[in-house]
Every structure is written in structure tokens, then in C-alpha cells.
Amino acid sequence: MDRKSACGRAGRLLYKYEIMTFQTPFALLGEAIAARGYTAPTPVQAAVLEPGAVERDLLVSAQTGSGKTVAFGLAMGSELLDESSMVRATNAPLALIIAPTRELALQVSRELAWLFADTQARVATCVGGMDASKERRALNYGAHIVVGTPGRLRDHLERGALDLRGIAVAVLDEADEMLDMGFREDLEELLDATPETRRTLLFSATMPKPIVALAKRYQRDALRISTVESERGHGDISYQAMAVAPADIENTVVNILRLHEAETAMLFCATRDNVRHLHASLTERGFSVVALSGEHSQNERNYALQALRDGRARVCVATDVAARGIDLPSLSLVVHVEIPRDAEILQHRSGRTGRAGRKGTAILIVPYPRRRRVEMMLQGARVPAEWIAAPSAAEIHAADSERLLSVLLAPVEPGEGDRELAARLLNERSAEDIAVALVQTHRSRLPAPEELLAADAAPQRGPRPGFEGSAWFRLNVGRSQNADPRWILPLLCRRGHVSRSEIGAIRITASETLFEVSGAVAARFLDAVQRTADDDADGVIEAVQGKPRDEAPRRAHNPGARPGPAGKSGPRPDKKFHRKGPHKPR
Ligand code: AMP
């Protein structure tokens, strides 16, 4: 296929067909976009449709949610379609699109399917985890556009099922992700199997050195397009952060979901175990929830995403990797149940909402001991988050009442038999009784909000009877991290598998909390603390030798000493049980 002449033709045709400001020369693409209800191009779409971009390789910084799939779909028109907007006759695929994950590839495939529906272009999708023989049959049958993940495409290429010799345009979608995931060799093998005359469109959210090197090797005189700044400038996502007691994280999730009542919400956990646990716990409370993590098969993932799309499920609990590239237009709420590892993950996760001009909210649930770290991360990422209190049960009840009023006071169109039923009810009960019954019916369908541990400080817990022969421990969380017996006590019980009555005095200093455990259960407590050391966000628990002095360490007693585990004025640790390491792999 002669690239120059195809592009030249498209260039001459440019502006012949305009739908609002979508300046595509291909009538059928313009019509598909209009039918979809898109009235204005996103910045990246406008940029690829510029006359100067039509004949060029493109190196584009654009994020998921920017409308980049439609952007490269439109850009590919010049290589795929003839002057009447129909797909060119061919014996081998004309366009190759490579994406990092199964979800993203399936999503790209869906977008291109509607965009090219009337052009008679056939799209084949080749992704890991799906039936390879079906894919081979689709390729054999003749596909104009092939979309897939690097590994699976390479498989098909090596087995002779995928012929790349006719490729006129190749697209690398989320190229930075693909390199991060170790797909460089696969990409190179695939691109090397395509003709050098092809047009290469490289999309990447970030442009680190390896991407620049890849572009240099496989692109010619590429036009650099960057719309990242203008997208960020729109600020469609508002960020909130809530500092909570570690033992209250799950209850806070419940209250956030209940307060927002989002059409679709996505909750992020750090590990698949935590996804499984939160999914079970929300299901138990009556939320319609699905889970996405590495432990789910492709079929399960497809089922979960479909349930979210058609509204059977409204909440999705996911790991970072499993949620990569997911696009759910109705998703208006993202909750970072466990704080993201770094600012990039924060933005990736949050970017599941606020897509294509819609508004979204991203909420970080921050255990008190982690507040400082999160503040620094937000500052580094220049994300202006509002620190607010977690929603209380009272706030949720008030919001429920407002919602209920707007539902029940909205005008209704009575259906068949409704008036007779209303008359019978009024015959039996007063209007007020009926209204109360209606309110209760509505309320009973909603999961109950949780009472959170109070945020205002409680007094220290003094010596308690029956604690002779007790053992002392320290937790490296002090007043400066908002330590308070009200939330420290449940945390200690959870980490040490003991009950409240088995914890004695609690003394909080500026940088740490010293506490007493009944001698009868001290050994069990130690053992459990070791086993739960991976529980996130709680801080480090260490045993201390002997009974600490009655007074909290003061600088005046030991000038120059710093309070805390390294300080000389407090009791010494006799054993380190746990040092926080990186998260487990997802
Ligand atoms: P993407 O960045 O390709 O993942 O697209 C994000 C979402 O925006 C998809 O659901 C697209 O269908 C949608 N979208 C693409 N272009 C437009 C547009 N011009 N106006 C409104 N929505 C769009």
C-alpha cells in the first residue's frame, strides 16, 4: 500500500465533510460520531485532525479518558478508507493497534467497532486469556483492523495466523505502560514485521527515555502532540482526603458509598486479598458490588464490567493493575481505600473518573498515621485535595431524606390499577401512615450507615486493676499522628487478637503510644502482632522492657535526646517485629 498517495488523497479531501467541529474527510466516520452524540472534539481529537497532522507519524501525550481512541480511529481513516468512506479492498490487515491490557484492547475494539461500523471494516481482537482458535478464525476470515495485546499478537504472528505485511498504520496505545510491563521485545518483533512505509501513531501518557528511543527507531519525522496540560487544566476531578482511624477504614468506605450514592463507584485496594475481603464485606451489607483483580479469569472480568455497564452492579473493588484502562462513562466516584504507592498511581486510579468532560470525585481514605505522607504525595503531584471529615451517619440520614423527598415529590404518571390501589390504601389507613410506610420501604432497601469512632480526643487510659505482671509495648504512632485511645484501642485488639479488657493503661506521647497488655495473654499478643505485621497503615508494634516511667519522656530530662524509638528517655525496644516493606504484588 502506498502510504504517500493514501495520505495525499486524505489531505485533498480534508474539510469536505464537517460535523460541527469534527473536521474529518470521511462522511461515515462523521456520521458515526454524530450518532454517538459527540458534538465537539476533545483536544487530542482536534489535534490529530489538524491538516498538518494528516500525513504524519504522530507522537502523542494523551491520557486515558482524553478521547484518544476516537482520535486515532479518526487519524487512521486516511490509511483505511477510500474516497467514499468505505474500507479499501485488501487481502491482509491494514491497521494494527497494540494495547497493554486485555480490557484496554477490548475497549479499543468496541470504540473502533462503532466508529467504523458503516465502512464495512472488520475488526479482529486478539487478547491473552481469550480463545485463540476463535481469534485465528477471525483473522483467517479477513480483518481490516487488528487490535490486541502484545503477547497474543506475537503468538499469532509466529504461528503464521497474523499477516502484517499489508499494515498501512500501526498504533501503540499506552506505550509507556507496555514498556513498563516488559513488552518491548514483543512490540519490536511486531513492528519489524510491518512494512517500513507504514504510518506509526504512538500514544503515551508519559514520555520517558525508553519511549523516546522507541519513537526514534520506529517513527519518521513524527509530529509531537501534547494535550496533557490542557486536559489537566480542566480539573474535572475534585479530590478529597479523609483522615480516619485505621480500624474505621471499612466503615468509612460504607459511609462514603452511602453519602454519594454514585451511579458507579470504583474502590481501590493494594492487594487481591484486600479486594476479596472488601468485596465480601460490602456484599454482606447489601451493596451491589463486583471485584476485579488478578485472580479473576477473563470471563469473570468481562461479566463484572458488563454488570457495571448495565447497572446491575454499582460498585467495583479493584487492584491497580486490574483496573488499568477501564472506561466506564457513569463512573463518578473513585475511592482510594488503601493509599496509592505514589503520585502516578494516584492519578491513574483517579483518572477512572472525570472522563471526557464529566465531573468526578476522588477520595483518599488516610489512616491517621499516614497523613503526613499523603500530604507530601499530594503536594508533590500538585493535586489540591480538600481535607474533610468522613461522612457521619447523621449526614447520611440527612442526605437520604433529601433524596427521598425528591423521589417521592416528583410528578408521577399513574400506571394501570395504581389509582385503585391508592384508593384502597386510603380507605384502610391515614395519608400520614401510608407516607410513613412508603418512607420506611425506601429506607429499608439502603445499607445502614456506620457509626465512626469519634475524631475528638479522648482522655488517656490510666492504670487498671488486675494488670499486675503485665507486659508493655509501644506503637510508633503518637499525638503528632493524631493518636487517640478511641482508635488506638480497637487497632491493638485487631492486630494482637485480644479483647479490650486485656489491654491496660495507654499512654500517648508526642511520637509514640505505650500500652500495657495483660500478662496472661502477652505471649499470644506478641505472636498475633507478628502475624498481622503486614496489615497496612497501622504502624510498628514493639515490646519494651520493663515498666515505663510514669511520666511521658520530656526533653528537659534529657536535653538533645529525641523522643521516639531512638530516644534515650523512653524504654528500649527488645525486639523489632515488623518493619514496613513494599506492598505485596497484586
Ligand atoms: P478514551 O480516552 O479513548 O479512553 O475515551 C474516553 C471516553 O470518552 C470514551 O467513552 C469515549 O467514547 C468518549 N469520547 C470520545 N470522544 C468524545 C467526544 N468528542 N465527546 C464526548 N465523549 C467522547
Side-chain angles (χ1 to χ4, degrees), residues 257-269:
L257 290 176
R258 285 288 281 100
L259 183 71
H260 284 259
E261 289 287 335
E263 194 177 336
T264 312
M266 186 158 279
L267 315 179
F268 282 98
C269 294

Side-chain angles (χ1 to χ4, degrees), residues 401-465:
S401 301
E402 286 307 311
R403 280 191 285 256
L404 198 57
L405 285 174
S406 73
V407 170
L408 294 179
L409 296 179
V412 283
E413 193 61 37
E416 207 185 307
D418 287 354
R419 289 239 176 255
E420 289 90 282
L421 200 56
R424 269 179 66 190
L425 282 169
L426 283 165
N427 231 359
E428 304 274 332
R429 295 272 183 282
S430 73
E432 191 177 336
D433 283 350
I434 298 170
V436 169
L438 201 55
V439 166
Q440 279 182 358
T441 312
H442 269 264
R443 283 236 169 94
S444 65
R445 291 203 201 108
L446 301 169
E450 296 289 342
E451 291 296 340
L452 303 181
L453 298 165
D456 46 328
Q460 309 240 357
R461 201 167 135 120
R464 291 159 62 85

Side-chain angles (χ1 to χ4, degrees), residues 22 36 38-42 45 63-70 107 111 114 327 329 355-356 358:
F22 278 95
R36 190 85 178 172
Y38 299 165
T39 49
T42 63
Q45 290 162 1
Q63 285 162 324
T64 327
S66 59
K68 65 184 164 64
T69 315
V70 170
Q107 194 177 300
E111 292 269 293
W114 67 255
D327 175 38
R355 296 162 74 76
R358 295 183 191 92

Side-chain angles (χ1 to χ4, degrees), residues 93-151:
L94 292 168
L96 173 71
I97 295 116
I98 318 174
T101 62
R102 302 183 279 200
E103 267 80 29
L104 187 59
L106 292 170
Q107 194 177 300
V108 165
S109 177
R110 270 196 304 273
E111 292 269 293
L112 297 181
W114 67 255
L115 185 62
F116 286 91
D118 293 332
T119 67
Q120 295 194 346
R122 278 194 298 271
V123 184
T125 315
C126 306
V127 295
M130 301 291 256
D131 183 347
S133 58
K134 246 193 212 161
E135 294 174 358
R136 274 197 295 277
R137 276 200 297 279
L139 291 171
N140 221 359
Y141 185 65
H144 303 94
I145 304 173
V146 177
V147 185
T149 48

Side-chain angles (χ1 to χ4, degrees), residues 365-406:
I365 301 182
V366 185
Y368 289 130
R370 299 282 184 97
R371 177 164 179 157
R372 186 80 199 101
R373 196 177 125 186
V374 171
E375 276 172 341
M376 278 164 64
M377 179 170 65
L378 291 168
Q379 228 169 38
R382 279 190 252 138
V383 168
E386 188 190 357
W387 286 86
I388 58 171
S392 66
E395 259 176 275
I396 293 160
H397 287 309
D400 280 348
S401 301
E402 286 307 311
R403 280 191 285 256
L404 198 57
L405 285 174
S406 73

